[in-house]
Amino acid sequence: MSTALKQVFNKDKTFRPKRKFEPGTQRFDLHKRAQASLSSGLDLRAAVKLPQGEDLNDWVAVHVVDFFNRINLIYGTVCEFCTDKSCPVMSGGPRYEYRWQDEHKYKKPTPLPAPQYMNLLMDWIEMQINNEDIFPTSIGIPFPKNFIQICKKILCRLFRVFVHVYIHHFDRILLMGAEAHVNTCYKHFYYFSTELNLIERKELEPLKEMTSRMCL
């Protein structure tokens, strides 16, 4: 990464603190293996495949946390330009509008300005990945039976960040010279999510044309 890009993707721009893996744990080792594969220039399609003999839940957990950190960082670089005025609804162009729903305040799908939606989205994901009952960090503690379903929902919501950034704020990414970094992150996310069937095809529709040029 160039010096200019390092200044763009620095810790001060991070939307919120990173979730990290504890050294010495199996998940830390998996994380390092995945990072080494990416750094070595290995084909992204190959890099996302479940390594032989590894547990699917561990592999998914490592990637979900990593994608959260990366996508959170990407949005952090454009969030000052994503305001209630510029983005009064959370959308991906005129055809796609995302409404927020949770188990607390918004029990019905509710239209919200993009910044508010993003805050709720990142808060919700952070709660999931910091919940030891969902993402256990201690050896021997099993993942919940619905772990993959929870991860599917997390990845679905993270994809919406890509949609909004690409359609409404990619001019800022271009101005910062960060498009190659963001595109690589997107391709990694796309290959992983589709390789393991973790995202429904209908969710991918807003970026279908771009994806066909970039990934297929």
Side-chain angles (χ1 to χ4, degrees):
M1 191 183 292
S2 68
T3 304
L5 270 187
K6 283 179 181 174
Q7 290 172 351
V8 170
F9 291 95
N10 64 27
K11 63 183 180 181
D12 296 327
K13 287 280 188 178
T14 306
F15 203 47
R16 57 200 65 226
K18 277 189 171 187
R19 167 72 190 271
K20 296 181 179 179
F21 300 101
E22 291 297 320
T25 63
Q26 182 184 14
R27 227 161 291 155
F28 179 81
D29 293 339
L30 272 179
H31 172 68
K32 287 300 177 189
R33 274 173 62 184
Q35 293 305 305
S37 295
L38 292 175
S39 300
S40 68
L42 182 70
D43 174 52
L44 284 171
R45 287 179 189 271
V48 299
K49 293 183 181 295
L50 177 66
Q52 190 171 359
E54 295 296 350
D55 179 69
L56 174 63
N57 286 341
D58 274 321
W59 189 239
V60 171
V62 163
H63 282 80
V64 166
V65 172
D66 191 49
F67 287 134
F68 169 69
N69 288 336
R70 290 170 182 267
I71 295 167
N72 170 35
L73 192 59
I74 289 169
Y75 182 67
T77 66
V78 301
C79 65
E80 64 187 291
F81 306 102
C82 183
T83 65
D84 290 1
K85 186 175 181 180
S86 68
C87 305
V89 293
M90 173 59 182
S91 63
R95 292 181 56 200
Y96 300 96
E97 179 183 328
Y98 299 118
R99 299 187 174 195
W100 183 257
Q101 184 175 14
D102 56 34
E103 297 173 355
H104 307 290
K105 185 177 179 181
Y106 301 97
K107 297 194 175 180
K108 293 182 179 180
T110 306
L112 295 171
Q116 190 177 348
Y117 185 102
M118 292 291 193
N119 265 304
L120 289 166
L121 181 153
M122 297 297 183
D123 283 346
W124 178 81
I125 295 175
E126 196 170 29
M127 280 177 52
Q128 309 309 305
I129 65 177
N130 286 323
N131 185 336
E132 286 285 331
D133 292 331
I134 300 173
F135 282 76
T137 55
S138 301
I139 296 172
I141 297 180
F143 288 91
K145 291 181 180 179
N146 64 339
F147 177 71
I148 294 297
Q149 287 303 120
I150 293 170
C151 288
K152 284 182 177 181
K153 190 169 184 178
I154 291 173
L155 291 172
C156 172
R157 287 182 163 178
L158 283 175
F159 183 78
R160 295 173 181 182
V161 181
F162 274 124
V163 172
H164 187 73
V165 168
Y166 268 118
I167 292 176
H168 296 281
H169 301 294
F170 200 63
D171 57 332
R172 303 306 311 180
I173 299 294
L174 289 171
L175 281 173
M176 291 184 284
E179 67 272 23
H181 179 88
V182 175
N183 288 346
T184 298
C185 184
Y186 176 75
K187 288 186 341 188
H188 187 197
F189 179 96
Y190 174 82
Y191 288 141
F192 180 80
S193 301
T194 54
E195 165 71 19
L196 298 176
N197 297 311
L198 296 172
I199 195 164
E200 292 185 27
R201 290 286 169 179
K202 67 179 183 179
E203 287 291 337
L204 301 173
E205 282 294 316
L207 297 180
K208 185 177 180 180
E209 289 184 19
M210 184 196 81
T211 303
S212 66
R213 294 194 304 271
M214 193 188 297
C215 303
L216 303 180

